[in-house]
Amino acid sequence: MIRYLIKNNFKLMFRNKWIIAVLVLAPVLVIAILSSAFFDLMKSYEEVDVFKAGYRIEEGSGFDVGIEAVKEAGKEGGITLLEYPEGEPEEIIKNNGLAGFVEFGQDNYTVYKSADFKMEGIMLEYFLSRIMKGYVDNGLYAKMQETERIELPVEKPEYMPAVDSADYYGIVYIVYFAWCGIICAANVLSSEKKYGIERRFQVTGVSSFKMYLSKWIPVVFVVSVGLAFTTVLTILLFDIHWGNAFISALLLLLTIMASSAFSLMLYYISRNIAITIIAVFTSVWFMGFFGGSFETYMYSVWSEQVKRLSPIYHADRALVEISCMGKSTYTQSCIIYMLVIVVICSVIAVTADGIRKRGRA
C-alpha cells in the first residue's frame, strides 16, 4: 500500500513541472548574481603576503629592550618592522609604501594604518594586540626592565584559505533552496486535502507513520534530484568546487531530509499548505540570515553561539570548509544536527496527525 502512495505522490509532484523548474533554476540565477556582486569582497579574504611596517620608540620607553623579540615574532608572521626615528607617521607610510606605522610610548602604543593596505593594517593591529596581551598575561613588561633580551612565544594558528565567491555562494544557496523544497509537494498536499485522500486510506488501516513516509520520501527524492541537476549545472557554468564529493553529497542529502521533515511537521500542525509555505519561508529566511546565506559567515557580526542555532550555518560552514580545505570540524555537528531534526520533526508530525485523527473520531 505504501508503495502505491509513494508512486502516486511522485506523479502528482511531477505534474507541476514549473515548480521543479523554479527549484532548479532559481539557485543558478541567485548564484550568478551574488558571486559576481561579491567577488571583490570574497577576494579580500585571501591570505596576505609579507608586508612592511615602520616603528618608532619613545626615549625611555620599556619597549626598547623587547623590540628585537617583537621584530623576530613579526618576521614569523610575515611582518617586517623597520625603524624610522624621525618624521610624521602618515608621511613615512606614504613615502615608503608601508602598510602601517607603530609609535611605542612609555607604556602604550599607537598604530597608524594605510588606506591602501586595509587587510595588512588589520593584521598589524591584531599582531600587536596579541603581543601586548602576552606582555600582560606573562608579566613580560616587568621582565623587560630587568633583562636585555627576552623570548616571545610564537604561534602559527590554522587559517582558512581564500574562498572564491562563486564557490561560496554556489554552495550556500544550494543549501538555502534545499530548505524550500516543500513547494514541490504543494500539489500533493493540496490535492490530498481537497479530495479527502487521507480519510479514504484511513479505513484501510494504513498507519499515520506510513502516510507520513509516503509524503516525506517523494519530497526528499524530488528535491535531491532537482538540486543534483542544479549542482551539476552550476559546476559547469561557474566551475564551483565541492571538495570531497561523497561527504558533500551526504551532507546535502541529510540537509534535504531534515528540511523535508521540518516542512512536513509544520504542515501536519497547521493542515494548511499556504500557512505552511509562509511559515517555512519565514523560518528559512531567519535561519539563512544567521547561517551565512545573506552575510558571509566569515564576516558576520553575530556571535558563534547565535550562528550555531541555525542548521543552515552548520551545513554552510561544513560544505564551504570541505570545498576549500578538504575537511571541516563542522561535518560531525552537521550530520548530528540534521539527523536530530529528522527524528524530532517526524515524531512531532506523526503525533500531531494521530491527535487530529483521534479528535475527529
Side-chain angles (χ1 to χ4, degrees):
M1 182 64 72
I2 187 173
R3 284 181 293 179
Y4 170 79
L5 288 172
I6 292 173
K7 182 180 178 180
N8 186 62
N9 287 337
F10 270 128
K11 291 180 180 179
L12 289 172
M13 287 185 190
F14 281 111
R15 283 182 183 177
N16 279 342
K17 296 180 176 61
W18 67 272
I19 292 181
I20 298 175
V22 168
L23 183 68
V24 171
L25 298 178
V28 178
L29 179 62
V30 175
I31 291 166
I33 294 172
L34 293 182
S35 63
S36 175
F38 291 100
F39 175 79
D40 291 333
L41 173 64
M42 299 298 291
K43 190 176 181 181
S44 69
Y45 189 71
E46 294 180 2
E47 180 188 7
V48 177
D49 294 327
V50 176
F51 63 90
K52 297 178 181 179
Y55 76 90
R56 177 188 301 140
I57 302 177
E58 183 180 325
E59 186 177 353
S61 171
F63 292 108
D64 58 352
V65 177
I67 190 61
E68 291 302 321
V70 173
K71 290 169 71 173
E72 287 298 321
K75 285 183 181 180
E76 292 289 337
I79 304 172
T80 302
L81 291 172
L82 304 172
E83 186 175 12
Y84 293 88
E86 303 292 337
E88 293 295 324
E90 292 84 355
E91 291 297 321
I92 294 174
I93 291 174
K94 181 179 179 181
N95 295 335
N96 296 278
L98 303 177
F101 190 89
V102 187
E103 281 191 328
F104 292 100
Q106 294 292 328
D107 55 2
N108 56 33
Y109 67 94
T110 305
V111 178
Y112 299 86
K113 293 182 286 187
S114 171
D116 297 326
F117 298 91
K118 293 182 179 179
M119 292 302 296
E120 289 85 349
I122 293 173
M123 284 187 62
L124 176 63
E125 191 169 28
Y126 177 75
F127 166 73
L128 288 167
S129 71
R130 297 299 299 173
I131 291 293
M132 294 305 117
K133 186 177 185 298
Y135 282 172
V136 174
D137 291 348
N138 300 298
L140 295 180
Y141 185 78
K143 293 179 183 179
M144 288 193 300
Q145 313 297 327
E146 305 170 0
T147 182
E148 295 182 357
R149 181 176 177 81
I150 61 172
E151 295 292 333
L152 288 177
V154 178
E155 296 181 0
K156 292 184 178 179
E158 291 187 4
Y159 64 91
M160 192 169 85
V163 183
D164 182 77
S165 61
D167 286 346
Y168 182 84
Y169 287 106
I171 291 171
V172 302
Y173 272 96
I174 295 292
V175 174
Y176 184 82
F177 278 92
W179 280 84
C180 301
I182 191 64
I183 61 173
C184 295
N187 196 38
V188 172
L189 300 177
S190 60
S191 297
E192 181 183 82
K193 187 174 182 180
K194 181 178 180 181
Y195 299 108
I197 295 175
E198 267 204 351
R199 289 187 179 183
R200 297 181 183 181
F201 279 101
Q202 189 174 348
V203 298
T204 64
V206 178
S207 67
S208 296
F209 180 65
K210 288 184 178 180
M211 291 297 296
Y212 170 80
L213 287 179
S214 71
K215 302 179 187 66
W216 182 74
I217 292 175
V219 173
V220 170
F221 181 82
V222 172
V223 175
S224 298
V225 171
L227 291 182
F229 183 81
T230 303
T231 301
V232 173
L233 186 60
T234 54
I235 290 173
L236 295 175
L237 291 175
F238 311 116
D239 191 29
I240 294 171
H241 305 90
W242 284 82
N244 188 311
F246 175 77
I247 297 298
S248 296
L250 174 63
L251 295 181
L252 193 55
L253 175 61
L254 288 173
T255 298
I256 294 170
M257 292 168 62
S259 66
S260 301
F262 174 75
S263 299
L264 286 174
M265 177 194 71
L266 294 179
Y267 174 74
Y268 272 86
I269 292 173
S270 67
R271 281 292 165 176
N272 186 300
I273 186 60
I275 293 176
T276 300
I277 291 176
I278 292 172
V280 168
F281 281 27
T282 302
S283 302
V284 172
W285 188 92
F286 276 103
M287 288 190 288
F289 180 75
F290 295 112
S293 299
F294 310 120
E295 180 183 26
T296 55
Y297 66 76
M298 290 86 76
Y299 300 106
S300 176
V301 297
W302 300 103
S303 68
E304 189 74 7
Q305 289 76 12
V306 172
K307 290 187 287 188
R308 285 180 180 176
L309 295 175
S310 169
I312 287 181
Y313 174 71
H314 290 262
D316 283 350
R317 181 148 184 180
L319 290 168
V320 170
E321 289 183 354
I322 289 172
S323 170
C324 64
M325 296 191 298
K327 61 180 181 178
S328 174
T329 56
Y330 277 76
T331 299
Q332 184 177 3
S333 69
C334 180
I335 293 173
I336 294 173
Y337 207 157
M338 299 307 164
L339 289 176
V340 168
I341 290 175
V342 170
V343 172
I344 292 177
C345 291
S346 297
V347 169
I348 293 175
V350 174
T351 302
D353 187 56
I355 293 173
R356 181 183 59 82
K357 286 179 180 178
R358 286 195 296 270
R360 192 170 59 195

